[in-house]
Amino acid sequence: MAAPSLEKIAYRTLQQGKTLAGLAHKELSSKLMEVFAPEAAPGKFPINQDLIKEVRRSMKNLETIDWKEAEEGIYPKSQLFEAPWLEWAKKYPLVWLDMPQTWQRRKKNKTREIPRNINEKDYPAYYLQNFHHQTDGYLSKHSAEIYDIQVEILFNGTADSMRRRVLSPLKRGLKKYLSEESKKVKILDIATGTGRTLQQIQSALPQVELYGLDLSSSYLKQASKYLSSRNGDLVQLTKGNAEKMPYASESFQALTCVFLFHELPRDARQNVLNECFRLLEPGGTLVLADSIQIEDSPKFITIMENFHKIFHEPYYRDYIVDNINLRLEECGFSAITSESHFMTKVWKANKPA
């Protein structure tokens, strides 16, 4: 067996470093919460050694496929090392400064503390709450600025690796379009947040026309700031509800949606999928990524069952037992496939030509 290249060693070292940093942060923050806000601390959940081994194995498999797909050219290897490290370093103290407020919300079970300047009529009721107990929910500049680093900590440095799992099925779904040089391929990223998925798509498919939709003006501003600092064509960002998107029918060749569905009530999930079917032209592809579910990852049931208890995720428990395949079929999608990578499940579905 050939020795790993310096580039591969650097990638492994980076991933291991991010994992250790995430674990260290969570360990220290948990101990501080137990001291300064013990009423807010979640109960202790026993995790056996077999589960720990399975988590490590699953993370290793994610690392392996991440490197393999970069080597195959599905996305450039530079993508494996790309993150706004200096910006995150500057914002990391804000994560700590935000914790006392988070602890107080946990302690008092306050889940609907949103900025006073928000017009509640502009948003669906399920959106107006503090997912993850985070300050301002998704409705402020402060929330948008620290979101990415919070997610990296939550997933022990694997968030970007899991997001990248949409790129291979996306490129497969677009293969016939990409061979037609006369046609401009249009991709919409739904619930684009801070633009991390759009950045990855832009890196892997620089020739396509990209669009992003999100309900939060603050997160769209953060996405615009992030994407405009990069090379590539301008990404068109729009504020809107994924249940009723402001685009013409059959106007996209592909749609992506990452980490949205577990934060939607059941009827909203169906509404979003109905809209996805409407927006795709015949032959187009939808790639959906979200949390694993009990059906495909029973080994992680303990983690899934505890997730919504530790974090404020009111629709997660329903999501992990929801039959997304059936929902896709009811919309009219065909050729539905799914696969799981660590804590993320990815669906690919086509609109019949």
Side-chain angles (χ1 to χ4, degrees):
M1 181 181 292
S5 66
L6 289 176
E7 198 172 23
K8 188 172 184 179
I9 292 171
Y11 169 65
R12 287 177 175 174
T13 302
L14 174 64
Q15 289 303 114
Q16 291 168 6
K18 290 197 293 183
T19 296
L20 291 173
L23 290 170
H25 173 94
K26 284 186 279 193
E27 180 69 18
L28 180 55
S29 62
S30 295
K31 289 186 179 300
L32 288 174
M33 180 165 51
E34 290 172 2
V35 172
F36 295 105
E39 303 92 336
K44 296 289 185 179
F45 301 108
I47 299 180
N48 61 47
Q49 288 301 310
D50 288 340
L51 178 57
I52 292 173
K53 289 179 182 178
E54 187 60 38
V55 167
R56 289 173 177 167
R57 186 192 68 80
S58 188
M59 289 181 69
K60 182 65 176 178
N61 288 343
L62 174 64
E63 180 182 304
T64 298
I65 193 171
D66 201 25
W67 175 261
K68 177 175 176 288
E69 290 188 348
E71 278 204 313
E72 292 172 350
I74 293 172
Y75 40 85
K77 285 183 181 177
S78 60
Q79 182 70 238
L80 302 175
F81 303 92
E82 189 161 339
W85 301 111
L86 290 178
E87 185 177 346
W88 284 0
K90 292 176 184 177
K91 292 176 179 177
Y92 184 58
L94 297 178
V95 176
W96 285 103
L97 291 172
D98 191 57
M99 282 184 186
Q101 298 180 66
T102 301
W103 296 341
Q104 286 303 307
R105 276 189 293 276
R106 285 179 183 269
K107 176 181 176 181
K108 298 178 181 179
N109 196 28
K110 289 187 175 182
T111 59
R112 297 184 69 85
E113 287 189 341
I114 59 173
R116 293 181 179 179
N117 65 329
I118 294 299
N119 185 351
E120 296 189 11
K121 294 180 182 179
D122 293 339
Y123 303 90
Y126 62 78
Y127 192 76
L128 298 169
Q129 51 188 312
N130 306 90
F131 291 98
H132 322 141
H133 298 286
Q134 67 194 57
T135 300
D136 301 328
Y138 292 126
L139 295 165
S140 74
K141 177 183 177 182
H142 170 76
S143 172
E145 284 184 334
I146 63 175
Y147 174 79
D148 282 332
I149 189 171
Q150 287 177 318
V151 173
E152 280 297 326
I153 291 169
L154 174 64
F155 289 117
N156 295 333
T158 64
D160 275 345
S161 301
M162 290 191 290
R163 287 190 187 100
R164 276 192 288 272
R165 304 287 59 80
V166 306
L167 298 178
S168 180
L170 178 63
K171 294 185 83 169
R172 292 198 305 270
L174 287 172
K175 187 174 181 179
K176 65 177 181 178
Y177 294 112
L178 295 174
S179 64
E180 301 173 10
E181 295 183 3
S182 61
K183 185 164 187 174
K184 190 68 173 178
V185 175
K186 296 168 65 177
I187 302 174
L188 170 65
D189 185 44
I190 301 163
T192 197
T194 60
R196 296 293 292 167
T197 301
L198 278 172
Q199 175 263 316
Q200 292 177 341
I201 297 172
Q202 189 178 59
S203 179
L205 292 164
Q207 71 273 44
V208 305
E209 190 172 320
L210 290 177
Y211 296 75
L213 178 88
D214 203 273
L215 248 181
S216 172
S217 298
S218 298
Y219 276 66
L220 286 171
K221 289 176 183 176
Q222 183 70 16
S224 178
K225 177 183 175 182
Y226 175 56
L227 293 167
S228 63
S229 67
R230 298 175 46 79
N231 295 327
D233 291 341
L234 184 68
V235 177
Q236 300 184 47
L237 300 174
T238 302
K239 180 179 178 180
N241 188 337
E243 293 185 75
K244 192 174 182 180
M245 292 185 267
Y247 305 104
S249 298
E250 301 184 1
S251 55
F252 295 96
Q253 285 73 51
L255 306 173
T256 57
C257 183
V258 179
F259 298 154
L260 169 66
F261 272 40
H262 73 281
E263 292 188 342
L264 296 177
R266 185 169 286 214
D267 59 345
R269 283 180 221 134
Q270 189 65 55
N271 292 340
V272 173
L273 289 176
N274 291 341
E275 276 289 272
C276 289
F277 191 82
R278 179 183 71 81
L279 292 184
L280 280 174
E281 73 170 41
T285 297
L286 167 66
V287 183
L288 169 68
D290 214 293
S291 165
I292 52 176
Q293 296 183 298
I294 288 177
E295 181 181 35
D296 59 277
S297 301
K299 56 189 175 294
F300 291 139
I301 287 178
T302 301
I303 295 174
M304 285 184 271
E305 287 288 354
N306 292 334
F307 182 70
H308 73 94
K309 298 174 184 177
I310 297 173
F311 301 94
H312 177 59
E313 288 285 5
Y315 310 111
Y316 184 78
R317 194 170 190 180
D318 179 72
Y319 162 81
I320 59 178
V321 297
D322 197 7
N323 190 335
I324 303 299
N325 283 50
L326 180 60
R327 293 189 177 281
L328 289 164
E329 290 173 3
E330 289 176 345
C331 292
F333 284 103
S334 63
I336 301 165
T337 61
S338 66
E339 55 187 33
S340 296
H341 302 279
F342 187 39
M343 292 294 145
T344 294
K345 184 174 181 179
V346 180
W347 287 266
K348 177 179 176 292
N350 295 340
K351 183 172 182 177

